[in-house]
Amino acid sequence: MDEPSATQPPPPDADADAGADARAHAGAGVIATRGLTKRYRGGQLAVDGLDLTVPAGSVFGFLGPNGSGKTTTIRMLMGLIAPTSGTARVLGQPMPRASRAVLPQVGALIEGPALYGFLSGRDNLTRYDAADPTADPRTRRTRVAQALDRVGLSAAAGKKAKAYSLGMKQRLGLAAALLQPRRLLVLDEPTNGLDPQGMREIRTLVRELAFDGTTVFLSSHLLDEIEQVCTHAAVMAQGRLVTQGAVSDLAAGARGRLVVTTPDPGDAARVLKEQGVGDLVVAEDRVTGEPPERDLAEVNAALVTAGVRVRGFGVERASLEDAFVALTGEGFDVAG
Amino acid sequence: MSRVEAAVPAGAVDVPRRPGPLWTFGLLRSELVTTFRRWRTLALLGVLAAVPVLVGIAVRIETGDGSPDGRGGGGPAFISQITNNGLFLVFTALAATLPFFLPMAIGVVAGDAIAGEAGAGTLRYLLVAPAGRTRLLLTKYATTIAFCLVATLVVAASAMLVGALLFPLGDLTTISGTRITFAEGLGRAALIALVVAASLTGVAALGLFVSTLTGSGIAAMATTVGLLITVQILDQIPQLHAIQPYLFSHYWLSFADLLREPVYWDDLVRNLGLQGLYAAVFGTAAWARFTTKDIST
Ligand SMILES: Nc1ncnc2c1ncn2[C@@H]1O[C@H](COP(=O)(O)OP(=O)(O)O)[C@@H](O)[C@H]1O
Ligand SMILES: [Mg+2]
């Protein structure tokens, strides 16, 4: 039964120890990596000393521009590639050694869906389910039907997968991740190639799953996507972890901006400068800047006293994008 | 998207599910179904089934002028006997397909086994399911062996059918000159089909090993078929007789020894031993490669 290989999980009698191990490490996060590093054979350093901790029950956004090492990290977490150095624990157990105990509890969508084009959507799921040693063949049909229903593919279940649109393929890939109740879902850019409606549906699904208690690890290069669904986030740039934490904390790290809407932008800018507002930017009828330490009510009063007609006055909440720019000193669309 | 009961709160799945005892057979079944539903597999079997039809018709036309025993010389073994007894078409067809058509079909299926899944990306999903690398490899090899058997049986069955339709059937003369009944002849034919299928297990292991080396199914198939052709050529060069006994194809045609009375076993045993050696060497190499390989497609 056991598979004597470096990349294989331990023999079944070691599972008991592994279970105790898992409970002992429960506090360490659903995913915990230490110094995780991957240098590809070509010499490309794709992930560099990653220390990542994903809290249980979180919707964790793994954010970074294309080429920043997100997929490489996920491949290591799923035991598909071996780290060059460092360690990764998933559900408290070491990967890739404990693959056989860990992976049945993990649903994954990695670098887009991959399907057998000559099989129907339903048969694709049946095949992936048959590959899971813990999947009960007696409930296979029902679970496949439920997974198809959950992603809205019931009507197209009998169609050959090669006739599916990109969005349908993506949903079928998601359905494969949902064939069993999972403790962890790893979704690598799940909204890639979807239209806005499809994106919304994925977000709704992620929220539902999180509500059910599944930890969701979601990679994306889209900031607003992470902001909309994630409770926690980590930011990657060029293979390195820039920051990680609760989304609210990350956004709070970057201060909001004062925004004044007025038909007299020139006068407004002059008054605001006198009031100690820094980094002023004037764009048509909008003047924005870094809010001063003093009470904003006084700033507003000064504008009115100077005869500036004010239409709108307020502080815009800092976005994750602001936080990213503040952290990396560069725009988000820079490829690694 | 609708909510269904499939989702159970995390607390309910704290206890890791255990593998079912018959799980490996579920994977094997899935693999067999998937392989034999591929259009390419069916096309290969179709080509193999067509060979005996062509040989049978050709022989029929050749001898249609009334000369019952047209010894034309040349051509595959046993071809001159077909007009006397349709059963010989089975032996002729196997002798005609074994050097190239059969191993080429095996090379395509074996070469594609891992590399094709890697190229399509489905390999990563099988591995995270998790199929287990050793088990997936064993399943792939078992399926390739099953294909060897099915491919050989398709040739034999097609030949038997065409032989029965176009030529008389009856008792037959062995290579040694003795007579055996038609029933015993059928038994020998079945045994020969099994030996031919077993003759292909070496090239199947070689193909599987090549399949673990690349992420492209086409490249793996081409390499395996290329190796097959190279080996067949090397086996024909007299100066290389020192290495020829180690080429997987060297004793392939020894299956004819099953038509001797008594059966001459030496080369048959050498052939099966050589196939076992190839299966062990390349099977181990494939395992060593596949279980440590980075899957990044
Ligand atoms: N199989 C591979 N072989 C060599 N280099 C790779 C491979 N896959 C990715 N890379 C490189 O590693 C870096 C990180 O890639 P990746 O992990 O795919 O980033 P992301 O998923 O964030 O877009 C990139 O520079 C990419 O070119
Ligand atoms: Mg990626």
Side-chain angles (χ1 to χ4, degrees):
Chain A
M1 285 293 281
D2 56 324
E3 308 187 306
S5 130
T7 54
Q8 293 297 318
D13 57 351
D15 281 3
D17 301 341
D21 209 28
R23 281 184 290 281
H25 285 83
V30 169
I31 295 172
T33 72
R34 293 293 165 261
L36 193 66
T37 300
K38 180 65 184 182
R39 188 182 286 281
Y40 280 109
R41 265 205 309 185
Q44 172 79 37
L45 186 61
V47 173
D48 186 6
L50 187 66
D51 295 324
L52 194 67
T53 307
V54 176
S58 61
V59 177
F60 195 98
F62 193 43
L63 183 64
N66 290 325
S68 57
K70 304 182 297 293
T71 301
T72 303
T73 305
I74 289 173
R75 286 185 189 133
M76 287 191 278
L77 293 175
M78 298 294 99
L80 290 172
I81 63 177
T84 308
S85 62
T87 58
R89 300 182 80 87
V90 177
L91 300 175
Q93 300 190 54
M95 290 298 288
R97 207 155 56 79
S99 297
R100 221 163 81 205
V102 170
L103 292 179
Q105 308 175 65
V106 180
L109 187 66
I110 308 161
E111 263 210 315
L115 305 167
Y116 300 87
F118 61 101
L119 295 182
S120 68
R122 186 186 292 114
D123 289 343
N124 268 281
L125 293 189
T126 307
R127 171 148 173 84
Y128 285 134
D129 197 62
D132 179 353
T134 67
D136 186 350
R138 287 165 300 184
T139 59
R140 185 160 294 149
R141 283 173 67 100
T142 343
R143 285 182 295 105
V144 165
Q146 284 174 345
L148 285 165
D149 185 42
R150 183 140 206 190
V151 299
L153 274 183
S154 292
K159 243 190 176 178
K160 291 229 189 307
K162 64 167 171 264
Y164 278 18
S165 69
L166 187 56
M168 288 163 85
K169 287 180 179 161
Q170 193 82 354
R171 287 152 184 257
L172 195 62
L174 264 174
L178 300 177
L179 282 166
Q180 302 252 27
R182 311 284 192 185
R183 287 176 62 191
L184 171 65
L185 270 181
V186 174
L187 306 177
D188 188 12
E189 315 236 7
T191 57
N192 249 8
L194 296 189
D195 54 15
Q197 168 68 13
M199 288 186 174
R200 258 196 304 281
E201 286 176 2
I202 300 282
R203 273 185 227 122
T204 310
L205 186 64
V206 165
R207 287 197 193 97
E208 283 176 18
L209 290 162
F211 181 79
D212 293 338
T214 307
T215 307
V216 182
F217 184 79
L218 179 91
S219 93
S220 180
H221 66 278
L222 302 174
L223 273 158
D224 54 344
E225 182 167 292
I226 299 278
E227 269 197 302
Q228 286 182 44
V229 292
C230 295
T231 59
H232 294 70
V235 179
M236 293 283 285
Q238 294 172 23
R240 290 169 168 276
L241 186 66
V242 179
T243 185
Q244 64 181 324
V247 166
S248 49
D249 295 348
L250 292 180
R255 298 174 61 207
R257 282 180 75 84
L258 177 64
V259 180
V260 176
T261 319
T262 165
D264 315 315
D267 292 339
R270 182 178 44 77
V271 175
L272 287 172
K273 193 169 181 185
E274 286 166 11
Q275 294 291 315
V277 176
D279 188 26
L280 277 167
V281 178
V282 182
E284 292 177 26
D285 65 342
R286 262 168 69 95
V287 183
T288 67
E290 277 176 19
E293 294 302 322
R294 59 196 303 185
D295 191 349
L296 289 176
E298 286 176 29
V299 178
N300 195 11
L303 283 169
V304 176
T305 310
V308 177
R309 295 168 292 169
V310 177
R311 281 199 197 115
F313 184 95
V315 176
E316 261 184 12
R317 191 178 67 88
S319 69
L320 210 50
E321 180 158 12
D322 298 328
F324 184 86
V325 172
L327 282 163
T328 62
E330 53 187 294
F332 190 71
D333 292 325
V334 178
Chain B
M1 296 188 197
S2 61
R3 296 276 293 267
V4 277
E5 310 78 63
V8 175
V13 288
D14 253 1
V15 181
R17 289 179 293 266
R18 295 278 159 183
L22 292 179
W23 168 69
T24 299
F25 296 103
L27 182 61
L28 180 59
R29 189 167 150 247
S30 162
E31 187 62 41
L32 285 170
V33 169
T34 308
T35 302
F36 284 98
R37 278 181 67 178
R38 267 184 213 275
W39 181 86
R40 189 183 56 222
T41 310
L42 301 178
L44 287 171
L45 293 177
V47 169
L48 288 170
V51 172
V53 178
L54 293 179
V55 173
I57 292 175
V59 169
R60 183 68 201 235
I61 292 170
E62 272 293 289
T63 57
D65 53 11
S67 59
D69 203 352
R71 286 188 193 279
F78 312 111
I79 197 162
S80 58
Q81 307 250 38
I82 294 174
T83 43
N84 296 329
N85 193 331
L87 188 56
F88 273 97
L89 186 57
V90 175
F91 310 135
T92 305
L94 288 174
T97 50
L98 184 51
F100 190 70
F101 282 105
L102 272 172
M104 187 206 67
I106 304 320
V108 168
V109 170
D112 193 51
I114 300 287
E117 302 255 15
T122 46
L123 182 58
R124 65 175 180 271
Y125 286 109
L126 291 177
L127 291 182
V128 301
R133 296 192 185 205
T134 303
R135 209 163 320 209
L136 184 61
L137 193 67
L138 283 174
T139 307
K140 290 285 185 186
Y141 191 53
T143 305
T144 311
I145 300 293
F147 180 75
C148 291
L149 193 61
V150 170
T152 310
L153 291 179
V154 161
V155 173
S158 163
M160 189 67 252
L161 195 71
V162 175
L165 286 175
L166 297 184
F167 307 102
L169 297 175
D171 293 356
L172 56 159
T173 311
T174 64
I175 296 177
S176 315
T178 57
R179 299 285 289 176
I180 56 174
T181 62
F182 179 69
E184 196 181 343
L186 266 184
R188 299 266 175 121
L191 198 58
I192 282 175
L194 284 180
V195 168
V196 168
S199 300
L200 298 166
T201 53
V203 73
L206 178 66
L208 196 64
F209 171 59
V210 171
S211 193
T212 61
L213 298 180
T214 159
S216 152
I218 301 285
M221 290 183 226
T223 307
T224 310
V225 173
L227 281 171
L228 168 73
I229 295 170
T230 310
V231 163
Q232 291 286 50
I233 291 172
L234 293 183
D235 206 17
Q236 302 302 318
I237 301 176
Q239 288 83 351
L240 296 177
H241 69 271
I243 62 152
Q244 283 169 354
Y246 302 99
L247 300 177
F248 58 77
S249 63
H250 190 65
Y251 298 106
W252 270 357
L253 294 180
S254 66
F255 75 80
D257 293 342
L258 283 168
L259 283 180
R260 291 179 198 278
E261 196 69 32
V263 171
Y264 176 66
W265 289 103
D266 289 20
D267 282 356
L268 283 165
V269 171
R270 273 191 206 110
N271 179 29
L272 296 181
L274 194 59
Q275 301 309 321
L277 184 68
Y278 269 82
V281 169
F282 287 103
T284 309
W287 176 81
R289 173 79 184 123
F290 186 54
T291 51
T292 55
K293 190 185 185 189
D294 273 2
I295 305 300
S296 56
T297 50

